[in-house]
Amino acid sequence: RESTATRPLSNVRWTQIYPTLLLFWIITVIDKSNLSIVMANHTFLTALHLQGQTAKLGFLTTSFLLPYAVFMPFWGWVIGRVGLRRVGLVSAVLWILTTAAMGTVNSYAALAWLRALLGFAESSAWPLTFTLVARWFSLQERARAQTMEAIGAGIAIAVGGVVTTSLDLASGWRGQFYWTAALAAVIVGGWTPLGAALVSLVFGFLTALTYQLQTTSALPKNLVLMIPYLVTIVVLAVFARRVRAPAADGATYEPRQ
């Protein structure tokens, strides 16, 4: 078998791995901060009886950040035991389910618990990123590769407010959580930017279909609104074993001398 030192160099790490991680961090940072926009929504405050409850609103951030910090070492240990792909899939499914479930809550306690579960799921982001960078990039390239986190966070901060506010205005505070959950298209799309874009178009079609069904179908409205997310979960469950990370995943990159 040809050694990694003599194989022709591949640009896949820059054309697929780096853009995918960049998109991942943009989504992650937007998902962390979207609640700060929702907190200004009067309908949200009224539905959960949070008008003037600044301490409770602040705790929603704390309930996310505590498990986010505490469970990072746990995910690093799990990646070493069961592998990068499985951890990515499990944490993504938890991310989808908890974010979508936030759009269905009717109590403050339920939202706080879901925020804590989301912090647990998203705490895998750093271990996953560090593992991918270590496997795909040489020592000389890792500093450059790690810039995707800062660039992604900067882009998310710049556009996140506009995106979240637009979703909030277009589909309400519950719909905004549903849309954020849909961003798991990166994994469903087979770990490629093109695949993620195609899955996003399909998700958009399903969302448009729900608007039609709300006026023409006898199904309960909440069930109709769940259709795009149920389809996402089914696709993950059915096709997850067929979705493969790039073939050289797990092989240490060694540049030619």
Side-chain angles (χ1 to χ4, degrees):
R1 182 179 176 181
E2 191 178 21
S3 68
T4 56
T6 59
R7 288 184 208 151
L9 293 179
S10 171
N11 287 325
V12 71
R13 64 195 187 283
W14 295 113
T15 59
Q16 294 189 31
I17 301 300
Y18 186 92
T20 300
L21 283 174
L22 178 63
L23 180 60
F24 171 73
W25 275 98
I26 293 173
I27 295 170
T28 300
V29 174
I30 290 177
D31 193 47
K32 288 186 183 75
S33 59
N34 62 352
L35 187 64
S36 62
I37 303 296
V38 175
M39 286 179 183
N41 187 308
H42 179 72
T43 305
F44 165 77
L45 297 175
T46 302
L48 299 186
H49 310 290
L50 291 174
Q51 299 97 326
Q53 302 291 328
T54 54
K56 286 186 174 181
L57 290 172
F59 183 74
L60 290 175
T61 299
T62 303
S63 65
F64 171 86
L65 291 177
L66 279 177
Y68 185 82
V70 169
F71 284 100
M72 284 187 192
F74 166 78
W75 285 115
W77 176 80
V78 174
I79 288 173
R81 288 300 185 97
V82 304
L84 185 70
R85 186 170 58 215
R86 290 177 180 174
V87 170
L89 177 62
V90 169
S91 59
V93 169
L94 285 174
W95 180 1
I96 295 169
L97 294 176
T98 53
T99 305
M102 288 181 199
T104 68
V105 299
N106 292 305
S107 71
Y108 171 81
L111 181 59
W113 278 109
L114 286 170
R115 288 286 295 175
L117 185 56
L118 180 65
F120 168 72
E122 283 201 32
S123 64
S124 64
W126 287 101
L128 286 169
T129 299
F130 289 150
T131 303
L132 273 172
V133 170
R135 290 181 178 181
W136 277 93
F137 297 89
S138 68
L139 288 174
Q140 294 81 4
E141 295 176 322
R142 287 178 191 174
R144 178 183 170 194
Q146 293 285 10
T147 61
M148 116 280 294
E149 298 149 13
I151 295 174
I155 294 174
I157 292 170
V159 305
V162 175
V163 170
T164 304
T165 302
S166 299
L167 294 176
D168 195 3
L169 292 173
S171 55
W173 69 271
R174 296 183 186 276
Q176 183 272 142
F177 282 119
Y178 295 149
W179 276 105
T180 307
L183 296 178
V186 171
I187 294 176
V188 182
W191 296 82
T192 65
L194 178 59
L198 291 175
V199 172
S200 297
L201 288 175
V202 173
F203 189 89
F205 167 77
L206 291 172
T207 302
L209 179 63
T210 63
Y211 294 146
Q212 294 294 324
L213 291 177
Q214 287 182 60
T215 58
T216 61
S217 174
L219 293 173
K221 179 181 178 181
N222 288 338
L223 180 60
V224 171
L225 290 173
M226 290 174 64
I227 289 176
Y229 315 100
L230 292 174
V231 171
T232 301
I233 294 170
V234 170
V235 170
L236 275 172
V238 173
F239 294 102
R241 298 182 68 87
R242 302 181 189 180
V243 173
R244 294 290 181 265
D249 185 20
T252 302
Y253 171 75
E254 298 179 13
R256 289 182 296 181
Q257 301 299 324

